Amino acid sequence: EAWLRRGEKRGDAAALDGLGLLELRRAAGRKERDAAAGYFRRASEKGFMDALYHLGLYQLGWDGRPEAELALVDGFARRLARQERRSRKDAQKALQFFSLAAQNGHVRALHKVGRLYARALGVRRSCDVAANAYKTVAERGPWVAQLAEAHAVYARGD
């Protein structure tokens, strides 16, 4: 944490995002969750796309644990079914954050855009938008380079 605080003093966006993650993981209540969001906002204002992505996750109720990220959209959909109005606004805010990050090349944010459109969370369901998002994720994800390298190794017989 000390290194992140040093980075915060220097205005480092990655440090601010890291402090947001720490705060979110330690959050006991709304005040700490809001403090985490404040760090994410400050980092996103400096152009740090991971922070925008984290703001989107925060809007969906993420607790900061990486393992909770995968099931987040489905869990949010269940909450949305129970309490329509507030959750719909949260989904719309999350979509704004994810969309902005995706427009700036953040692949995981684009995946979340696809999930929100596929599940009709905060938006009208659009299979076209969801499919296009998923297709772009498949084409741009970090695994593309890994697969190319694996194929090259196989072709060389290594």
Side-chain angles (χ1 to χ4, degrees), residues 23-67:
E23 195 72 40
L24 190 58
R25 289 179 189 145
R26 294 191 292 213
R30 187 71 182 170
K31 182 179 176 183
E32 294 87 2
R33 287 185 51 77
D34 288 346
Y39 284 118
F40 295 145
R41 279 189 189 87
R42 286 172 55 200
S44 69
E45 289 166 1
K46 294 178 177 291
F48 196 67
M49 292 304 110
D50 280 349
L52 277 173
Y53 177 70
H54 292 144
L55 274 169
L57 295 175
Y58 166 84
Q59 286 300 138
L60 297 180
W62 186 49
D63 63 6
R65 293 177 304 123
E67 63 273 13

Side-chain angles (χ1 to χ4, degrees), residues 96 124 155:
Q96 289 174 345
R124 209 176 206 118

Side-chain angles (χ1 to χ4, degrees), residues 26-158:
R26 294 191 292 213
R30 187 71 182 170
K31 182 179 176 183
E32 294 87 2
R33 287 185 51 77
D34 288 346
Y39 284 118
F40 295 145
R41 279 189 189 87
R42 286 172 55 200
S44 69
E45 289 166 1
K46 294 178 177 291
F48 196 67
M49 292 304 110
D50 280 349
L52 277 173
Y53 177 70
H54 292 144
L55 274 169
L57 295 175
Y58 166 84
Q59 286 300 138
L60 297 180
W62 186 49
D63 63 6
R65 293 177 304 123
E67 63 273 13
E69 185 181 325
L70 292 176
L72 186 63
V73 172
D74 294 330
F76 184 82
R78 287 189 293 276
R79 287 194 310 279
L80 181 61
R82 290 192 302 265
Q83 44 178 277
E84 185 77 22
R85 190 169 292 207
R86 168 140 170 85
S87 295
R88 181 169 304 283
K89 288 183 180 181
D90 288 340
Q92 290 168 343
K93 283 183 182 178
L95 181 61
Q96 289 174 345
F97 292 129
F98 292 143
S99 295
L100 186 55
Q103 289 168 9
N104 286 281
H106 198 285
V107 176
R108 291 184 314 174
L110 183 58
H111 179 261
K112 291 294 188 260
V113 168
R115 294 280 291 145
L116 291 175
Y117 274 96
R119 297 291 307 264
L121 299 176
V123 293
R124 209 176 206 118
R125 183 181 317 273
S126 173
C127 293
D128 287 342
V129 172
N132 283 330
Y134 293 149
K135 178 181 179 287
T136 303
V137 167
E139 293 169 349
R140 292 190 187 161
W143 43 84
V144 174
Q146 294 168 346
L147 289 172
E149 175 63 23
H151 180 71
V153 168
Y154 171 77
R156 288 193 310 263
D158 291 347

